[in-house]
PDB file of all heavy atoms in Angstrom:
ATOM      1  N   LEU A 171     -24.785 -50.321  44.585  1.00 98.00           N
ATOM      2  CA  LEU A 171     -24.377 -50.845  45.859  1.00 98.00           C
ATOM      3  C   LEU A 171     -25.633 -51.116  46.701  1.00 98.00           C
ATOM      4  O   LEU A 171     -26.505 -50.279  46.824  1.00 98.00           O
ATOM      5  CB  LEU A 171     -23.480 -49.853  46.556  1.00 98.00           C
ATOM      6  CG  LEU A 171     -22.958 -50.281  47.987  1.00 98.00           C
ATOM      7  CD1 LEU A 171     -21.944 -51.423  47.786  1.00 98.00           C
ATOM      8  CD2 LEU A 171     -22.334 -49.084  48.713  1.00 98.00           C
ATOM      9  N   LYS A 172     -25.623 -52.269  47.293  1.00 98.00           N
ATOM     10  CA  LYS A 172     -26.791 -52.701  48.131  1.00 98.00           C
ATOM     11  C   LYS A 172     -26.301 -52.971  49.569  1.00 98.00           C
ATOM     12  O   LYS A 172     -25.295 -53.808  49.826  1.00 98.00           O
ATOM     13  CB  LYS A 172     -27.449 -53.948  47.649  1.00 98.00           C
ATOM     14  CG  LYS A 172     -27.999 -53.692  46.273  1.00 98.00           C
ATOM     15  CD  LYS A 172     -28.220 -55.042  45.481  1.00 98.00           C
ATOM     16  CE  LYS A 172     -29.364 -55.823  45.948  1.00 98.00           C
ATOM     17  NZ  LYS A 172     -30.406 -56.224  45.106  1.00 98.00           N
ATOM     18  N   LEU A 173     -26.769 -52.273  50.560  1.00 98.00           N
ATOM     19  CA  LEU A 173     -26.379 -52.490  51.940  1.00 98.00           C
ATOM     20  C   LEU A 173     -27.393 -53.459  52.628  1.00 98.00           C
ATOM     21  O   LEU A 173     -28.619 -53.176  52.547  1.00 98.00           O
ATOM     22  CB  LEU A 173     -26.328 -51.216  52.705  1.00 98.00           C
ATOM     23  CG  LEU A 173     -25.232 -50.216  52.136  1.00 98.00           C
ATOM     24  CD1 LEU A 173     -25.257 -48.914  52.942  1.00 98.00           C
ATOM     25  CD2 LEU A 173     -23.898 -50.805  52.089  1.00 98.00           C
ATOM     26  N   ARG A 194     -30.363 -43.845  51.841  1.00 97.00           N
ATOM     27  CA  ARG A 194     -31.023 -43.904  50.436  1.00 97.00           C
ATOM     28  C   ARG A 194     -30.726 -42.647  49.660  1.00 97.00           C
ATOM     29  O   ARG A 194     -30.533 -42.681  48.518  1.00 97.00           O
ATOM     30  CB  ARG A 194     -32.547 -44.103  50.659  1.00 97.00           C
ATOM     31  CG  ARG A 194     -32.926 -45.501  50.611  1.00 97.00           C
ATOM     32  CD  ARG A 194     -32.773 -46.161  49.269  1.00 97.00           C
ATOM     33  NE  ARG A 194     -33.685 -45.648  48.304  1.00 97.00           N
ATOM     34  CZ  ARG A 194     -34.892 -46.161  48.108  1.00 97.00           C
ATOM     35  NH1 ARG A 194     -35.214 -47.231  48.722  1.00 97.00           N
ATOM     36  NH2 ARG A 194     -35.644 -45.611  47.207  1.00 97.00           N
ATOM     37  N   GLY A 197     -27.883 -42.624  47.412  1.00 98.00           N
ATOM     38  CA  GLY A 197     -28.044 -43.363  46.158  1.00 98.00           C
ATOM     39  C   GLY A 197     -27.935 -44.870  46.280  1.00 98.00           C
ATOM     40  O   GLY A 197     -28.205 -45.592  45.310  1.00 98.00           O
ATOM     41  N   VAL A 198     -27.596 -45.377  47.434  1.00 98.00           N
ATOM     42  CA  VAL A 198     -27.510 -46.795  47.623  1.00 98.00           C
ATOM     43  C   VAL A 198     -28.813 -47.457  47.811  1.00 98.00           C
ATOM     44  O   VAL A 198     -29.773 -46.839  48.211  1.00 98.00           O
ATOM     45  CB  VAL A 198     -26.497 -47.191  48.772  1.00 98.00           C
ATOM     46  CG1 VAL A 198     -25.172 -46.485  48.571  1.00 98.00           C
ATOM     47  CG2 VAL A 198     -27.075 -46.754  50.128  1.00 98.00           C
ATOM     48  N   LYS A 199     -28.815 -48.785  47.629  1.00 98.00           N
ATOM     49  CA  LYS A 199     -30.067 -49.541  47.864  1.00 98.00           C
ATOM     50  C   LYS A 199     -30.034 -50.257  49.257  1.00 98.00           C
ATOM     51  O   LYS A 199     -28.901 -50.531  49.722  1.00 98.00           O
ATOM     52  CB  LYS A 199     -30.176 -50.661  46.817  1.00 98.00           C
ATOM     53  CG  LYS A 199     -30.120 -50.128  45.361  1.00 98.00           C
ATOM     54  CD  LYS A 199     -31.551 -49.892  44.775  1.00 98.00           C
ATOM     55  CE  LYS A 199     -31.645 -49.388  43.438  1.00 98.00           C
ATOM     56  NZ  LYS A 199     -30.483 -48.897  42.690  1.00 98.00           N
ATOM     57  N   LEU A 200     -31.163 -50.495  49.805  1.00 98.00           N
ATOM     58  CA  LEU A 200     -31.191 -51.130  51.121  1.00 98.00           C
ATOM     59  C   LEU A 200     -31.988 -52.391  51.135  1.00 98.00           C
ATOM     60  O   LEU A 200     -33.112 -52.531  50.684  1.00 98.00           O
ATOM     61  CB  LEU A 200     -31.799 -50.126  52.137  1.00 98.00           C
ATOM     62  CG  LEU A 200     -31.097 -48.777  52.230  1.00 98.00           C
ATOM     63  CD1 LEU A 200     -31.998 -47.806  53.097  1.00 98.00           C
ATOM     64  CD2 LEU A 200     -29.755 -48.934  52.856  1.00 98.00           C
ATOM     65  N   ASP A 201     -31.344 -53.515  51.664  1.00 98.00           N
ATOM     66  CA  ASP A 201     -31.927 -54.782  51.646  1.00 98.00           C
ATOM     67  C   ASP A 201     -32.063 -55.297  53.143  1.00 98.00           C
ATOM     68  O   ASP A 201     -31.246 -54.985  53.940  1.00 98.00           O
ATOM     69  CB  ASP A 201     -31.112 -55.843  50.911  1.00 98.00           C
ATOM     70  CG  ASP A 201     -31.025 -55.502  49.424  1.00 98.00           C
ATOM     71  OD1 ASP A 201     -31.524 -54.461  48.990  1.00 98.00           O
ATOM     72  OD2 ASP A 201     -30.364 -56.314  48.682  1.00 98.00           O
ATOM     73  N   ILE A 202     -33.155 -56.018  53.353  1.00 96.00           N
ATOM     74  CA  ILE A 202     -33.230 -56.637  54.661  1.00 96.00           C
ATOM     75  C   ILE A 202     -32.781 -58.140  54.563  1.00 96.00           C
ATOM     76  O   ILE A 202     -33.298 -58.888  53.762  1.00 96.00           O
ATOM     77  CB  ILE A 202     -34.667 -56.622  55.323  1.00 96.00           C
ATOM     78  CG1 ILE A 202     -35.025 -55.109  55.539  1.00 96.00           C
ATOM     79  CG2 ILE A 202     -34.783 -57.430  56.555  1.00 96.00           C
ATOM     80  CD1 ILE A 202     -36.180 -54.890  56.357  1.00 96.00           C
ATOM     81  N   PHE A 218     -40.253 -47.994  56.055  1.00 93.00           N
ATOM     82  CA  PHE A 218     -38.833 -47.941  55.702  1.00 93.00           C
ATOM     83  C   PHE A 218     -38.521 -47.948  54.220  1.00 93.00           C
ATOM     84  O   PHE A 218     -39.236 -48.631  53.518  1.00 93.00           O
ATOM     85  CB  PHE A 218     -38.059 -49.108  56.380  1.00 93.00           C
ATOM     86  CG  PHE A 218     -37.989 -49.059  57.880  1.00 93.00           C
ATOM     87  CD1 PHE A 218     -37.991 -50.288  58.604  1.00 93.00           C
ATOM     88  CD2 PHE A 218     -38.023 -47.831  58.568  1.00 93.00           C
ATOM     89  CE1 PHE A 218     -37.937 -50.228  59.963  1.00 93.00           C
ATOM     90  CE2 PHE A 218     -37.978 -47.819  59.962  1.00 93.00           C
ATOM     91  CZ  PHE A 218     -37.974 -48.994  60.676  1.00 93.00           C
ATOM     92  N   PRO A 219     -37.611 -47.193  53.795  1.00 94.00           N
ATOM     93  CA  PRO A 219     -37.222 -47.200  52.323  1.00 94.00           C
ATOM     94  C   PRO A 219     -36.403 -48.460  51.953  1.00 94.00           C
ATOM     95  O   PRO A 219     -35.208 -48.328  51.577  1.00 94.00           O
ATOM     96  CB  PRO A 219     -36.451 -45.909  52.139  1.00 94.00           C
ATOM     97  CG  PRO A 219     -35.784 -45.708  53.468  1.00 94.00           C
ATOM     98  CD  PRO A 219     -36.685 -46.318  54.494  1.00 94.00           C
ATOM     99  N   ILE A 220     -37.013 -49.637  51.915  1.00 95.00           N
ATOM    100  CA  ILE A 220     -36.303 -50.866  51.686  1.00 95.00           C
ATOM    101  C   ILE A 220     -36.540 -51.333  50.217  1.00 95.00           C
ATOM    102  O   ILE A 220     -37.735 -51.232  49.796  1.00 95.00           O
ATOM    103  CB  ILE A 220     -36.784 -51.987  52.670  1.00 95.00           C
ATOM    104  CG1 ILE A 220     -36.566 -51.569  54.109  1.00 95.00           C
ATOM    105  CG2 ILE A 220     -36.112 -53.347  52.321  1.00 95.00           C
ATOM    106  CD1 ILE A 220     -35.098 -51.414  54.488  1.00 95.00           C
ATOM    107  N   ASN A 221     -35.575 -51.783  49.541  1.00 97.00           N
ATOM    108  CA  ASN A 221     -35.748 -52.251  48.154  1.00 97.00           C
ATOM    109  C   ASN A 221     -35.993 -53.758  48.115  1.00 97.00           C
ATOM    110  O   ASN A 221     -36.773 -54.184  47.226  1.00 97.00           O
ATOM    111  CB  ASN A 221     -34.470 -51.972  47.328  1.00 97.00           C
ATOM    112  CG  ASN A 221     -34.175 -50.503  47.221  1.00 97.00           C
ATOM    113  OD1 ASN A 221     -33.456 -49.972  48.031  1.00 97.00           O
ATOM    114  ND2 ASN A 221     -34.773 -49.896  46.228  1.00 97.00           N
ATOM    115  N   THR A 222     -35.353 -54.479  48.967  1.00 97.00           N
ATOM    116  CA  THR A 222     -35.393 -56.004  48.784  1.00 97.00           C
ATOM    117  C   THR A 222     -35.468 -56.713  50.139  1.00 97.00           C
ATOM    118  O   THR A 222     -34.818 -56.282  51.083  1.00 97.00           O
ATOM    119  CB  THR A 222     -34.128 -56.445  48.085  1.00 97.00           C
ATOM    120  OG1 THR A 222     -33.962 -55.756  46.839  1.00 97.00           O
ATOM    121  CG2 THR A 222     -34.127 -57.872  47.770  1.00 97.00           C
ATOM    122  N   LEU A 223     -36.287 -57.783  50.177  1.00 97.00           N
ATOM    123  CA  LEU A 223     -36.257 -58.639  51.344  1.00 97.00           C
ATOM    124  C   LEU A 223     -35.546 -59.935  50.920  1.00 97.00           C
ATOM    125  O   LEU A 223     -35.880 -60.501  49.893  1.00 97.00           O
ATOM    126  CB  LEU A 223     -37.731 -59.046  51.712  1.00 97.00           C
ATOM    127  CG  LEU A 223     -38.606 -57.975  52.355  1.00 97.00           C
ATOM    128  CD1 LEU A 223     -39.904 -58.679  52.829  1.00 97.00           C
ATOM    129  CD2 LEU A 223     -37.993 -57.254  53.451  1.00 97.00           C
ATOM    130  N   LYS A 224     -34.592 -60.329  51.738  1.00 97.00           N
ATOM    131  CA  LYS A 224     -33.896 -61.564  51.561  1.00 97.00           C
ATOM    132  C   LYS A 224     -34.463 -62.632  52.493  1.00 97.00           C
ATOM    133  O   LYS A 224     -34.278 -62.478  53.693  1.00 97.00           O
ATOM    134  CB  LYS A 224     -32.363 -61.449  51.743  1.00 97.00           C
ATOM    135  CG  LYS A 224     -31.787 -60.424  50.796  1.00 97.00           C
ATOM    136  CD  LYS A 224     -30.255 -60.411  50.907  1.00 97.00           C
ATOM    137  CE  LYS A 224     -29.653 -61.624  50.227  1.00 97.00           C
ATOM    138  NZ  LYS A 224     -28.095 -61.492  50.157  1.00 97.00           N
ATOM    139  N   ALA A 250     -43.813 -58.660  50.420  1.00 95.00           N
ATOM    140  CA  ALA A 250     -42.743 -57.803  49.822  1.00 95.00           C
ATOM    141  C   ALA A 250     -43.305 -57.104  48.574  1.00 95.00           C
ATOM    142  O   ALA A 250     -43.064 -55.870  48.430  1.00 95.00           O
ATOM    143  CB  ALA A 250     -41.537 -58.670  49.421  1.00 95.00           C
ATOM    144  N   LEU A 253     -45.473 -54.239  49.373  1.00 93.00           N
ATOM    145  CA  LEU A 253     -44.723 -53.011  49.881  1.00 93.00           C
ATOM    146  C   LEU A 253     -43.801 -52.567  48.703  1.00 93.00           C
ATOM    147  O   LEU A 253     -43.002 -51.624  49.026  1.00 93.00           O
ATOM    148  CB  LEU A 253     -43.927 -53.412  51.091  1.00 93.00           C
ATOM    149  CG  LEU A 253     -44.725 -53.899  52.337  1.00 93.00           C
ATOM    150  CD1 LEU A 253     -43.824 -54.261  53.457  1.00 93.00           C
ATOM    151  CD2 LEU A 253     -45.756 -52.933  52.726  1.00 93.00           C
ATOM    152  N   GLY A 254     -43.918 -53.075  47.517  1.00 95.00           N
ATOM    153  CA  GLY A 254     -43.056 -52.622  46.447  1.00 95.00           C
ATOM    154  C   GLY A 254     -41.613 -53.075  46.513  1.00 95.00           C
ATOM    155  O   GLY A 254     -40.712 -52.312  45.982  1.00 95.00           O
ATOM    156  N   MET A 255     -41.406 -54.183  47.195  1.00 96.00           N
ATOM    157  CA  MET A 255     -39.995 -54.695  47.319  1.00 96.00           C
ATOM    158  C   MET A 255     -39.808 -55.923  46.455  1.00 96.00           C
ATOM    159  O   MET A 255     -40.769 -56.650  46.123  1.00 96.00           O
ATOM    160  CB  MET A 255     -39.755 -55.045  48.786  1.00 96.00           C
ATOM    161  CG  MET A 255     -39.922 -53.893  49.756  1.00 96.00           C
ATOM    162  SD  MET A 255     -39.810 -54.471  51.495  1.00 96.00           S
ATOM    163  CE  MET A 255     -40.325 -52.943  52.351  1.00 96.00           C
ATOM    164  N   ASN A 256     -38.521 -56.173  46.105  1.00 97.00           N
ATOM    165  CA  ASN A 256     -38.109 -57.417  45.449  1.00 97.00           C
ATOM    166  C   ASN A 256     -37.829 -58.457  46.526  1.00 97.00           C
ATOM    167  O   ASN A 256     -37.627 -58.155  47.690  1.00 97.00           O
ATOM    168  CB  ASN A 256     -36.796 -57.211  44.674  1.00 97.00           C
ATOM    169  CG  ASN A 256     -37.061 -56.399  43.463  1.00 97.00           C
ATOM    170  OD1 ASN A 256     -38.047 -56.572  42.729  1.00 97.00           O
ATOM    171  ND2 ASN A 256     -36.227 -55.377  43.200  1.00 97.00           N
ATOM    172  N   VAL A 257     -37.736 -59.678  46.052  1.00 98.00           N
ATOM    173  CA  VAL A 257     -37.424 -60.813  47.015  1.00 98.00           C
ATOM    174  C   VAL A 257     -36.217 -61.647  46.469  1.00 98.00           C
ATOM    175  O   VAL A 257     -36.153 -61.965  45.318  1.00 98.00           O
ATOM    176  CB  VAL A 257     -38.600 -61.744  47.112  1.00 98.00           C
ATOM    177  CG1 VAL A 257     -38.352 -62.761  48.221  1.00 98.00           C
ATOM    178  CG2 VAL A 257     -39.851 -60.946  47.499  1.00 98.00           C
ATOM    179  N   VAL A 258     -35.291 -61.913  47.424  1.00 98.00           N
ATOM    180  CA  VAL A 258     -34.223 -62.834  47.136  1.00 98.00           C
ATOM    181  C   VAL A 258     -34.368 -64.110  48.049  1.00 98.00           C
ATOM    182  O   VAL A 258     -34.670 -63.992  49.214  1.00 98.00           O
ATOM    183  CB  VAL A 258     -32.849 -62.268  47.514  1.00 98.00           C
ATOM    184  CG1 VAL A 258     -31.739 -63.292  47.275  1.00 98.00           C
ATOM    185  CG2 VAL A 258     -32.597 -60.978  46.777  1.00 98.00           C
ATOM    186  N   GLU A 277     -37.946 -62.930  42.680  1.00 98.00           N
ATOM    187  CA  GLU A 277     -37.186 -62.327  41.647  1.00 98.00           C
ATOM    188  C   GLU A 277     -35.682 -62.879  41.570  1.00 98.00           C
ATOM    189  O   GLU A 277     -35.168 -62.955  40.474  1.00 98.00           O
ATOM    190  CB  GLU A 277     -37.067 -60.856  41.753  1.00 98.00           C
ATOM    191  CG  GLU A 277     -38.325 -60.132  41.382  1.00 98.00           C
ATOM    192  CD  GLU A 277     -39.365 -59.946  42.413  1.00 98.00           C
ATOM    193  OE1 GLU A 277     -39.028 -60.317  43.567  1.00 98.00           O
ATOM    194  OE2 GLU A 277     -40.428 -59.462  42.153  1.00 98.00           O
ATOM    195  N   PHE A 278     -35.064 -63.067  42.697  1.00 98.00           N
ATOM    196  CA  PHE A 278     -33.609 -63.460  42.750  1.00 98.00           C
ATOM    197  C   PHE A 278     -33.400 -64.644  43.685  1.00 98.00           C
ATOM    198  O   PHE A 278     -34.194 -64.889  44.568  1.00 98.00           O
ATOM    199  CB  PHE A 278     -32.829 -62.293  43.227  1.00 98.00           C
ATOM    200  CG  PHE A 278     -32.982 -61.017  42.447  1.00 98.00           C
ATOM    201  CD1 PHE A 278     -33.828 -59.960  42.810  1.00 98.00           C
ATOM    202  CD2 PHE A 278     -32.291 -60.816  41.251  1.00 98.00           C
ATOM    203  CE1 PHE A 278     -33.978 -58.823  42.070  1.00 98.00           C
ATOM    204  CE2 PHE A 278     -32.468 -59.653  40.465  1.00 98.00           C
ATOM    205  CZ  PHE A 278     -33.283 -58.673  40.910  1.00 98.00           C
TER     206      PHE A 278
END
Side-chain angles (χ1 to χ4, degrees):
L171 181 70
K172 298 157 77 125
L173 299 179
R194 269 291 290 270
V198 304
K199 307 263 180 349
L200 302 171
D201 295 3
I202 296 193
F218 294 150
I220 302 293
N221 296 92
T222 306
L223 291 189
K224 299 188 77 172
L253 300 179
M255 301 171 188
N256 289 315
V257 186
V258 178
E277 283 87 6
F278 303 98

